[in-house]
Amino acid sequence: MPPGITTLAADAPTLSAANTGFMLICSALVMLMTPALAFFYGGMVRVKSTLNMLMMSFISLGIVTILWVLYGFSLAFGTDAGSIIGWSQDFVGLSGIGVTELWDGYTIPVYVFAVFQLMFAVLTPALISGALADRVKFTSWALFITLWVTVVYFPVAHWVWGAGGWLFELGVIDFAGGTAVHINAGAAALGVILVIGKRVGFKKDPMRPHSLPLVMLGAGLLWFGWFGFNAGSWLGNDDGVGAVMFVNTQVATAAAMLAWLGYEKLRHGSFTTLGAASGAVAGLVAITPAGGAVSPLGAIAVGAIAGVLCAMAVGLKYRFGYDDSLDVVGVHLVGGIAGSLLVGLFATGGVQSDAKGLFYGGGLDQLGKQAVGVFAVLAYSLVVSAILAFLLDKTIGMRVEEDDEVSGIDQVEHAETAYDFSGAGGGSSSRPAPPAPGTTAAPTNKKVDA
């Protein structure tokens, strides 16, 4: 994500209607990714948890939006303070921003940049929710989101993308969120599940997806929305870099899906729809940090490597005993790490910057920078997220009661169920009503359905 750039007054850009419109469309596409994620996760859980899974994503749209306006944008993209956090009073409440005031060095209004970045902030905690399926109190989850974006996401976004942020100043390349979004969310998911523990029946009961069509719908919408997520992160459409990112997004996603399916066929003997959907998401995750630095051939390599690595990683939860319900760690953490580190190998030096990877004559310099970014974000998010989960668990409690988890979290937390099976079969009933107490049923010659 390019930060603000200081320019001479004579060279100051003017508002571009084309770029402004482009970025508003990209913002809408990124917003779509949160309900798309809800569908993707919602189809992967059992029937009794469907609504809760949908709501764990949707509530982020409400909470994070308000926090972003109140102080989140200021913390993430305000004037740098010590390379750790930002703060600008004009950004608090978005109250001191002029209607046509431009984001520094760009041709789009500050409001447009703010709303585009808002959609990233909304999506990131929603990603965490997939690891916690079936067992978390909704009130506790809402409070966790509030605390997590405040002390983890907003500062990390400043480190990576904010002018003066220490990872940005170091030269870490993260085009659209490999560290700030995916590693951040994946590490947080691991931290929380290590605190709250496993689902009842983990490794014993079948926990298969209840609706693979819903999973595929969610994956398709994520793929669609991801073009705004990635291509829009150049904040304009003037020099072709966004177009390269668009192409690389498609290419890497296709390569990862094929690689995951190939691994799955060799390992398990089948090409599954869940594998296709998961492989596509793994490719999207991996190309997010790398797509502005690599060529389309490099994007194929990034996608294929990530597809295989993530397919292998999803089984680690059974080996090590952590219950990552919907493979957030296996896909987002591992995919984000892979994509971020592969920049250090495949960066051509001819797209978003002149930084070159090892395979293009750049030596190990960029790979080292990428590794610092990866492990700094991973460690910070893992530790702080675990602390937040521990504090919530010891105060208001993070988990529902065991009996409620077994019977179904939808009914307990939301007083609803995703599907009403009482009318299955349709049509009006021809079965006669039972007689009133103390009376004898009248004879009938009507045929009664079995």
Side-chain angles (χ1 to χ4, degrees), residues 88-101:
S88 293
Q89 191 63 38
D90 287 347
F91 292 170
V92 176
L94 303 184
S95 57
I97 302 170
V99 174
T100 59
E101 181 181 344

Side-chain angles (χ1 to χ4, degrees), residues 242-269:
V244 172
M245 185 54 162
F246 193 108
V247 170
N248 285 345
T249 299
Q250 177 69 16
V251 169
T253 306
M257 179 179 68
L258 296 176
W260 186 302
L261 288 172
Y263 174 85
E264 191 174 56
K265 178 65 175 178
L266 292 173
R267 184 75 172 79
H268 304 292

Side-chain angles (χ1 to χ4, degrees), residues 171-369:
V172 175
I173 293 176
D174 186 353
F175 195 95
T179 55
V181 175
H182 298 290
I183 292 174
N184 204 2
L190 182 59
V192 176
I193 58 182
L194 290 177
V195 171
I196 68 171
K198 308 172 184 67
R199 288 168 291 178
V200 175
F202 176 64
K203 295 202 291 187
K204 297 177 182 179
D205 299 336
M207 298 181 179
R208 293 184 292 269
H210 89 278
S211 177
L212 287 169
L214 199 61
V215 173
M216 295 298 280
L217 172 64
L221 289 173
L222 280 170
W223 194 334
F224 176 66
W226 224 290
F227 289 115
F229 191 83
N230 281 357
S233 289
W234 198 240
L235 305 186
N237 200 26
D238 296 324
D239 56 7
V241 175
V244 172
M245 185 54 162
F246 193 108
V247 170
N248 285 345
T249 299
Q250 177 69 16
V251 169
T253 306
M257 179 179 68
L258 296 176
W260 186 302
L261 288 172
Y263 174 85
E264 191 174 56
K265 178 65 175 178
L266 292 173
R267 184 75 172 79
H268 304 292
S270 301
F271 302 114
T272 68
T273 51
L274 182 59
S278 300
V281 173
L284 291 164
V285 170
I287 201 61
T288 291
V294 305
S295 68
L297 288 177
I300 292 176
V302 169
I305 292 169
V308 173
L309 289 178
C310 292
M312 296 170 64
V314 296
L316 294 178
K317 62 185 178 183
Y318 300 111
R319 179 178 300 178
F320 295 110
Y322 61 90
D323 186 7
D324 176 19
S325 307
L326 307 183
D327 301 318
V328 178
V329 176
V331 173
H332 293 276
L333 179 57
V334 174
I337 291 172
S340 297
L341 293 180
L342 288 172
V343 171
L345 302 180
F346 293 105
T348 65
V351 189
Q352 73 175 94
S353 72
D354 58 4
K356 294 182 179 181
L358 178 64
F359 297 161
Y360 288 82
L364 296 174
D365 181 62
Q366 192 60 44
L367 181 60
K369 293 176 181 178

Side-chain angles (χ1 to χ4, degrees), residues 26 30 127 139 171 261 276 282 369 448:
C26 288
V30 182
L127 293 172
T139 301
L261 288 172
K369 293 176 181 178
V448 178

Side-chain angles (χ1 to χ4, degrees), residues 44-64:
M44 290 175 69
V45 296
R46 292 168 288 179
V47 169
K48 62 184 181 180
S49 303
T50 306
L51 291 181
N52 181 252
M53 202 71 261
L54 296 174
M55 280 292 288
M56 288 179 80
S57 288
F58 265 78
I59 195 63
S60 186
L61 282 162
I63 293 172
V64 180

Side-chain angles (χ1 to χ4, degrees), residues 136-137 139-141 389 391-400:
V136 174
K137 293 178 181 178
T139 301
S140 299
W141 170 245
L391 293 175
L392 289 173
D393 193 47
K394 295 303 180 183
T395 52
I396 63 174
M398 282 287 283
R399 292 191 63 145
V400 297

Side-chain angles (χ1 to χ4, degrees), residues 58-96:
F58 265 78
I59 195 63
S60 186
L61 282 162
I63 293 172
V64 180
T65 296
I66 301 304
L67 296 182
W68 187 254
V69 170
L70 293 178
Y71 59 82
F73 182 55
S74 183
L75 289 175
F77 292 100
T79 302
D80 178 70
S83 299
I84 299 297
I85 200 67
W87 188 258
S88 293
Q89 191 63 38
D90 287 347
F91 292 170
V92 176
L94 303 184
S95 57

Side-chain angles (χ1 to χ4, degrees), residues 8 104 110 126 159 194 221 262 266 277:
L8 297 176
D104 194 16
V110 175
W159 297 357
L194 290 177
L221 289 173
L266 292 173

